[in-house]
Amino acid sequence: MGDSAIHALAGSVGGCVSMALTYPLVNLSTRAAVQTKKEDLTLIQAIKKTIEKEGLSGLYSGLSSSLAGIAITNGVYYAFYEETRSVLLRRRSATSHSTSALSTGEGIIAGLIAGSITTVATNPIWTIQTKQSTQSVIETKEGETKKVKPGALEAANEIYEKDGLKGFWRGIGPALILVINPVIQYTTFERLVSLLLTYRLSRQGTTSTTSQKALGRSSLSDWDLFILGAASKLVATGGTYPYVSGKFRFEQAATHKYKSSLKAVLHILEKEGLSGLYAGLGPKLLQSVLTAAFMFVAQRRIYEFVKGLVNVAAQRKLAVA
């Protein structure tokens, strides 16, 4: 099992763990972003309102498609990111200035390649998930009519009937633009890792690149990964959220009144002001930061665990041979 495959597996499982832990925040931030009538609710008020109207299950509507989406998204992203990262590091491994962290330019290249491939492959899943989280269907049971959230198949069928196959890739252009989000996140993470390792080496009285390479990411503690992961996601989400909000509105406009995500952003700015572009930012920031923090920790530890199992299996195979 190759190193990139192990990273992909660890990313998938770690992403599912972090998504499950923070999904109510994912759900609430998505709903807030697509609302055209802004409600000034605190996070606690939004949670209470959702439970009163839909029960506890309302906080988890769309969870199944989100778990499938994050598993595939993280798996594909980590596979291509780590493979690209390995290639870039090998290109300069012969020099005396090689370290275990990517440069800013290398981080951007790795992120753009991995992000673009991942976005094209997984856009249908997130289109379905957004519809599940933000729309209701009428269900009549035993003479009682009520609104319920559609299942993944129902949401997919509705998208297909309305727009055909292209409906699953509605908003793919804006989504590709938002590849900048993980690029910012992972580039920032790599820079923070490099700064932290350099700082720790300087405290030990050495700044040699050989020592920095030997120290590497494996020396980072869970708290290091949690804090660096949270900080990098805070920068990425804070910078791209207005466009994310416009993208959600564009995808969910019932009459397709927005011709593009940019038009949606300008329309929101005109009708709702700057605050409209940041509707749901509080829950989104909290969710994104916590999800990223948990994911970085889980991905690294799962990677080390699986890597250990692979090494043990390889050693046993050699011993038998």
Side-chain angles (χ1 to χ4, degrees), residues 148-184:
V148 297
K149 295 296 178 182
L153 291 178
E154 290 177 297
N157 187 57
E158 184 178 339
I159 293 169
Y160 181 75
E161 288 183 349
K162 186 176 182 180
D163 297 314
L165 281 176
K166 69 178 186 294
F168 293 101
W169 278 272
R170 178 171 167 77
I172 187 63
L176 285 171
I177 292 174
L178 283 173
V179 166
I180 193 65
N181 185 291
V183 168
I184 294 172

Side-chain angles (χ1 to χ4, degrees), residues 97-112:
H97 301 290
S98 179
T99 69
S100 61
L102 296 177
S103 67
T104 301
E106 290 168 336
I108 291 173
I109 291 171
L112 285 174

Side-chain angles (χ1 to χ4, degrees), residues 81-93:
Y81 183 84
E82 292 297 332
E83 188 62 32
T84 306
R85 180 178 184 276
S86 297
V87 171
L88 293 173
L89 290 177
R90 284 198 298 269
R91 287 184 60 189
R92 56 186 171 92
S93 62

Side-chain angles (χ1 to χ4, degrees), residues 115-138:
S116 298
I117 294 171
T118 302
T119 297
V120 173
T122 63
N123 197 77
I125 297 173
W126 296 116
T127 301
I128 293 170
Q129 187 276 330
T130 302
K131 180 170 282 292
Q132 281 187 277
S133 295
T134 60
Q135 296 189 10
S136 300
V137 296
I138 304 298

Side-chain angles (χ1 to χ4, degrees), residues 206-241:
T206 177
T207 56
S208 69
T209 53
T210 302
S211 298
Q212 187 176 359
K213 184 178 180 181
L215 195 59
R217 291 192 291 181
S218 61
S219 66
L220 299 175
S221 68
D222 288 348
W223 274 115
D224 291 334
L225 294 168
F226 189 91
I227 293 171
L228 297 183
S232 60
K233 191 61 177 180
L234 180 65
V235 172
T237 300
T240 59
Y241 189 78

Side-chain angles (χ1 to χ4, degrees), residues 27-42:
N27 198 348
L28 292 175
S29 63
T30 301
R31 294 185 187 197
V34 301
Q35 286 177 347
T36 54
K37 294 182 179 180
K38 186 168 70 71
E39 295 180 285
D40 293 321
L41 299 177
T42 66

Side-chain angles (χ1 to χ4, degrees), residues 257-274:
K257 63 180 178 181
Y258 306 123
K259 294 182 179 180
S260 68
S261 290
L262 181 58
K263 293 285 187 182
V265 169
L266 294 175
H267 183 269
I268 294 168
L269 191 60
E270 179 185 353
K271 299 296 183 181
E272 304 171 38
L274 191 62

